[in-house]
């Protein structure tokens, strides 16, 4: 089975800002509408094309995840990796594309394509689009390495990345030869969005669905060697996340919520938390995305106050 690549028409302001930020490990290639995106599998290539008449491919990234989310959540998850300098700047651009009425304060639902290992080519390496590209395309076009044009596009990108010796990208896939998936290296923003979706936007403990009140918690903190991966995450209500990080609550390896006696001892309070004691948490349907047993054991032994 071949590898897909897409060429997507890119907002000029988004591109010009992010091409100057080589330190950003992930970007959100957002669309002003919340349309579903199913063109790529995680690990396939998402390429950036300038607006006509500049029919040139100028960079790309490794596709990790797609969803629809309020623009406020996109900003809090990715910040300037949205290609905007502030939440207000981002919202103004969305409103302009959506032709929203002046004074509209809607937290617009937008389409998000989360890309890791982003790269921006030097101008002398920009690529002409394939001959099948139509000037009428306003969003994106999909290619496959099973086809001549798609394979030529893959090879051209690989050749430029080899010359550039891009950190991470060139190590994750062969620069020449058989095309294959590239493992996305999730950052903090992609981790947050992925965990939020896997838990169906509900707190694993309380089933709270108010999205601004929910946060993706690392079971083993990133600073302690915990990865930005679904199996190291829990979606928790914000207060539970704070208590989890501080060790006042935990989740046992058998997926039960446990509350420390220290809440009562130190704060003479906590009855709402003790009411949740022993409750089995909700987890993603797919086994490999559920909380990792060893990470939960680590939290119980190293963070939980007992």
């Amino acid at each position: 089975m071949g590898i897909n690549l897409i060429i997507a028409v890119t907002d000029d302001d988004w591109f010009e800002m992010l091409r100057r930020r080589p330190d950003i490990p992930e970007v959100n290639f957002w669309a002003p509408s919340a349309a579903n995106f199913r063109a790529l599998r995680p690990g396939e290539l998402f390429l950036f094309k300038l607006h006509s008449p500049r029919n040139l491919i100028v960079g790309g990234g490794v596709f990790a995840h797609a969803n629809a989310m309020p623009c406020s959540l996109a900003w809090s998850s990715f910040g300037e990796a949205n290609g905007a300098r502030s939440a207000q700047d981002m919202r103004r651009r969305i409103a302009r594309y959506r032709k929203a009425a002046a004074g509209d304060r809607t937290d617009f639902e937008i389409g998000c394509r989360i890309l890791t290992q982003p790269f921006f080519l030097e101008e002398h390496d920009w690529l002409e689009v394939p001959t099948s590209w139509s000037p009428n395309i306003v969003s994106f076009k999909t290619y496959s390495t099973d086809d001549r044009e798609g394979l030529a596009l893959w090879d051209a990108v690989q050749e430029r990345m080899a010359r550039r010796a891009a950190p991470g990208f060139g190590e994750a896939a062969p620069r020449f030869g058989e095309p294959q998936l590239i493992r996305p290296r999730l950052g903090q923003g992609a981790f947050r969005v992925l965990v939020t979706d896997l838990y169906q936007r509900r707190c694993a403990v309380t089933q709270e669905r108010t999205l601004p009140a929910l946060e993706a918690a690392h079971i083993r903190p990133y600073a302690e060697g915990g990865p930005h991966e679904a199996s190291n995450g829990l979606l928790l209500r914000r207060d539970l996340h704070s208590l989890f990080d501080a060790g006042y609550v935990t989740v046992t390896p058998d997926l039960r919520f446990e509350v420390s006696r220290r809440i009562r001892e130190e704060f003479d309070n906590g009855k709402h938390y003790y009411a949740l004691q022993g409750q089995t948490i909700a987890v993603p349907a797919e086994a490999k995305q559920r909380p990792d047993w060893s990470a939960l054991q680590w939290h119980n032994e190293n963070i939980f106050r007992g």
Side-chain angles (χ1 to χ4, degrees):
M1 181 179 181
I3 299 298
N4 283 344
L5 312 86
I6 72 161
I7 300 173
V9 179
T10 306
D11 179 84
D12 290 343
D13 291 336
W14 185 96
F15 170 70
E16 290 298 338
M17 177 177 171
L18 290 177
R19 71 187 292 202
R20 293 173 171 80
R21 294 291 304 275
D23 56 312
I24 291 180
E26 59 185 355
V27 297
N28 179 22
F29 190 99
W30 53 265
S33 69
N36 287 336
F37 179 83
R38 303 182 187 277
L40 295 177
R41 295 172 292 168
E44 295 183 318
L45 286 184
F46 189 112
L47 302 176
F48 312 141
K49 177 204 164 294
L50 299 176
H51 276 274
S52 294
R54 295 193 296 170
N55 291 315
L56 297 164
I57 298 166
V58 295
V62 179
F63 175 72
H65 187 64
N67 77 349
M69 71 178 90
C71 60
S72 61
L73 178 59
W75 179 262
S76 63
S77 298
F78 297 100
E80 291 188 355
N82 286 292
R85 300 197 179 281
S86 68
Q88 294 75 21
D89 177 33
M90 181 178 176
R91 195 182 177 288
R92 277 194 296 270
R93 286 198 223 163
I94 296 166
R96 184 175 71 244
Y97 278 115
R98 294 174 69 116
K99 297 181 171 55
D104 187 339
R105 296 187 178 183
T106 303
D107 192 3
F108 300 121
E109 190 92 350
I110 60 173
C112 298
R113 289 79 164 165
I114 299 159
L115 313 177
T116 69
Q117 295 111 291
F119 58 93
F120 297 89
L121 300 173
E122 299 294 335
E123 291 192 23
H124 62 267
D125 276 336
W126 288 358
L127 281 161
E128 295 281 348
V129 295
T131 55
S132 65
W133 179 271
S134 166
N136 297 324
I137 296 171
V138 296
S139 183
F140 65 85
K141 179 178 172 62
T142 305
Y143 295 84
S144 171
T145 57
D146 282 340
D147 301 323
R148 179 181 56 81
E149 276 192 324
L151 184 58
L153 185 58
W154 170 273
D155 288 342
V157 171
Q158 295 300 307
E159 186 270 335
R160 281 157 174 75
M161 298 311 292
R163 287 210 303 261
R164 188 169 176 262
F169 186 97
E171 300 166 2
R175 291 172 179 156
F176 302 97
E178 191 70 23
Q180 65 180 19
L181 293 175
I182 304 162
R183 184 177 180 182
R185 297 179 183 174
L186 302 186
Q188 175 67 35
F191 170 80
R192 178 179 181 182
V193 172
L194 178 61
V195 170
T196 299
D197 283 352
L198 289 175
Y199 282 81
Q200 299 181 6
R201 304 190 177 192
R202 295 172 181 261
C203 171
V205 179
T206 68
Q207 294 295 286
E208 175 63 53
R209 293 186 301 170
T210 305
L211 195 55
L214 303 180
E215 295 180 346
H218 287 83
I219 300 170
R220 183 167 185 157
Y222 186 72
E224 296 286 346
H228 294 314
E229 293 180 0
S231 60
N232 190 44
L234 292 166
L235 189 66
L236 298 174
R237 201 173 64 196
R238 182 172 293 144
D239 59 328
L240 296 182
H241 184 187
S242 296
L243 293 171
F244 186 83
D245 286 352
Y248 289 106
V249 302
T250 194
V251 174
T252 63
D254 63 353
L255 301 178
R256 294 189 178 276
F257 186 69
E258 189 166 339
V259 184
S260 170
R261 65 180 184 277
R262 295 283 196 90
I263 293 180
R264 183 183 293 114
E265 293 172 355
E266 296 179 17
F267 306 109
D268 192 28
N269 206 330
K271 65 179 181 179
H272 297 296
Y273 302 119
Y274 290 112
L276 301 170
Q277 172 69 30
Q279 181 172 305
T280 300
I281 70 165
V283 296
E286 193 170 333
K288 69 179 182 179
Q289 296 169 337
R290 295 172 187 165
D292 178 68
W293 182 93
S294 62
L296 292 171
Q297 186 69 29
W298 184 92
H299 189 274
N300 278 252
E301 294 176 353
N302 294 276
I303 302 296
F304 186 51
R305 297 168 181 259

